Amino acid sequence: MSTVQIGPFVAATVSVFKDMLDTDIVKGQPEAEGDSFVSRGFTVLVGLTGGWEGWFLLDMSQETACTFAGAMTGEDYESVENEEVLYAGAEIANIISGNAITVVNNAQPGLNIRLAPPSVFAGQGMSMFNARLSSSSVLMQSNAGPVKINVAAREGK
Amino acid sequence: MDVKYVNPFIVGMQNIFNMLNMTSIQRTGLAKREKLKTDNEVNIIIGLVGDLKGNVVISLPDSTARNIASTMMGGMPVPELDMMPKSALCELTNMVAGSSMSQLEQMGVAVNITPPMLINGRNMMTMISQVETLVISFNCNEGKLEMNIATE
């Protein structure tokens, strides 16, 4: 179940980074994650309800997040304490998850997955724990550093 | 955010804490969130989709998190926040959100919730939503905690 779920998010991540940030991403293979996801320091979470219930996570280091935010706005950011970095990260994850669920909903009418607004967490030694969700990740490489996406979800009503 | 939607969250929190025998819970404050930094190591998030769209985060220091998990597990000591106490806190948040949603439903507001996710770390900055975030602070014998609500 979980490796099937992450496919559309991988495709959306690659195309959004290409179109929005002009960044080529080399994608890895899906792997099972278990109940704890270890963050690199900057994570955007987007909630899913409807046919799939759970979370989409976009994770990277704080330096990588600053680089991508800079690519979007044309300014230089030194730390994630600048809230524009958080807004930029939220926007990227929002577009990726929006694209991905549009593909899934079109392919499977009646699934009707809907998204919650993105929220951003940045810090040290962060980990995300989910209770009884099926979770898988794909690690990707960009020229600004590694980016990891994770989908932790279950089938909803 | 409309003020009339705030009370269901406060009532939901109090209902569940009372049910779990943490009857000392009291609301101590209500404010707009003005900074992104948080001193709380444990944050449990639930997404809202439907008539209200946003996120709710229960945010608490490690000590409060361990005390609450301990109370929920019948007083068993919780020296470290490992899998069991984390599950307990996720379940607590799920129950609080569920109770709050049923209060909202009585007002004719239908909302779906996502499963909870618990984030812990140090020196954290959190942005729960791009819109204004409301912070409701609570105090109980287990310690201080707060509920952050951001709805669009």
Side-chain angles (χ1 to χ4, degrees), chain A residues 16 25 42 46 59 68 74 89 109 114 121 129 135-136 141 155:
Chain A
V16 168
I25 288 231
F42 183 94
V46 184
D59 182 76
F68 286 140
R114 295 179 68 189
F121 289 79
F129 174 86
S135 163
S136 67
Q141 301 294 337
E155 280 179 46

Side-chain angles (χ1 to χ4, degrees), chain B residues 27-46:
Chain B
R27 182 169 70 83
T28 53
L30 179 68
K32 268 200 300 200
R33 190 158 185 234
E34 273 155 8
K35 55 186 173 46
L36 296 168
K37 274 230 163 77
T38 171
D39 296 329
N40 296 332
E41 292 95 354
V42 182
N43 293 275
I44 310 130
I45 184 167
I46 281 194

